[in-house]
Amino acid sequence: MSLRRNGIVRSEQIDLFGFSGGAQFAHRFAMLHPERIANLSIASPGWYTFPDDASYPYGLWPRPDFEDVWSYRMVNSLDQFLSIPMQVCVGEKDCKRDKNTRSGNAIDAQQGSHRLDRARRWTSALRAAARQLSVDPDIKFHILPNCGHDFEACVRQGGLDRIVVPHPSPGQCRGGCSATARAACFRSRQRSSTELEEAIL
């Protein structure tokens, strides 16, 4: 809201992306404010909030020792959250536990023992919840080849940038612009991709 007040964000909805800890924030923000998200892309979070009756933040149910309104809002807007186009990404080799992988008997039983397993389970849980709510989900699951828990490798080797911001050909450009404008848009996207690669280098 403050970004919109300050004129930094001008649209009602945004495309939201997060990697690792940023992905943990991004998917929970989208659950809380689905009306503000046009597209959600997350990559390699350590753990998730599942669309089930486990206590928040593991699931959507309020914690017994803490009265909050977040959980109720997430439950009431779950169908709207499940309608958001989503990309769930994780490295093929992101199977090692580290200090940022929340673990324990309960969370491992619910989510899995490592990020790759947890991404699979969360995606499956979202699709199952969508079926129960008669929502037709647009949730794509991507395993990034030869990548562990490394953002640079996920971009350079796994193509994470091309998944999050696909680069259409001039003929695929959406909107009512002219062929010349579509070609200019395509060239601009190519330059943006090159600049991203140079920034990583």
Side-chain angles (χ1 to χ4, degrees):
M1 293 178 64
S2 62
L3 294 176
R4 194 155 58 224
R5 279 198 304 269
N6 294 331
I8 297 171
V9 174
R10 300 179 183 277
S11 62
E12 289 298 316
Q13 291 189 314
I14 60 172
D15 292 349
L16 186 61
F17 166 73
F19 180 85
S20 192
Q24 292 175 188
F25 164 80
H27 84 273
R28 292 184 178 110
F29 181 90
M31 283 180 155
L32 186 61
H33 300 290
E35 75 284 355
R36 298 184 183 176
I37 308 300
N39 293 278
L40 175 65
S41 300
I42 61 170
S44 310
W47 61 295
Y48 298 82
T49 293
F50 272 61
D52 61 23
D53 59 1
S55 296
Y56 184 81
Y58 303 100
L60 299 179
W61 208 247
R63 289 177 288 177
D65 60 338
F66 184 75
E67 186 70 22
D68 68 76
V69 296
W70 292 5
S71 299
Y72 296 109
R73 286 184 58 179
M74 289 179 175
V75 170
N76 290 334
S77 60
L78 181 58
D79 57 343
Q80 192 174 358
F81 168 74
L82 294 169
S83 299
I84 298 172
M86 293 185 215
Q87 311 276 355
V88 181
C89 308
V90 65
E92 178 184 27
K93 298 180 179 179
D94 202 346
C95 303
K96 295 181 180 179
R97 299 163 76 98
D98 57 33
K99 63 181 181 180
N100 296 317
T101 307
R102 184 169 293 198
S103 60
N105 292 336
I107 190 171
D108 291 352
Q110 179 203 40
Q111 304 201 11
S113 60
H114 51 71
R115 290 183 178 89
L116 176 58
D117 193 18
R118 292 179 179 190
R120 281 195 180 110
R121 291 194 190 188
W122 190 70
T123 302
S124 295
L126 293 190
R127 289 171 175 162
R131 286 193 298 270
Q132 290 180 347
L133 294 172
S134 299
V135 172
D136 185 18
D138 182 6
I139 304 170
K140 296 180 175 64
F141 179 57
H142 303 270
I143 296 180
L144 309 177
N146 299 313
C147 295
H149 195 67
D150 182 282
F151 178 74
E152 181 177 336
C154 287
V155 171
R156 294 182 59 117
Q157 297 168 212
L160 177 60
D161 59 328
R162 295 184 294 278
I163 293 170
V164 175
V165 186
H167 299 161
S169 67
Q172 294 173 319
C173 186
R174 293 176 294 178
C177 51
S178 67
T180 302
R182 288 197 299 271
C185 175
F186 180 59
R187 288 193 297 273
S188 174
R189 285 177 177 269
Q190 285 182 313
R191 285 196 300 272
S192 297
S193 178
T194 301
E195 289 166 0
L196 177 60
E197 290 176 4
E198 289 174 351
I200 291 171
L201 290 173

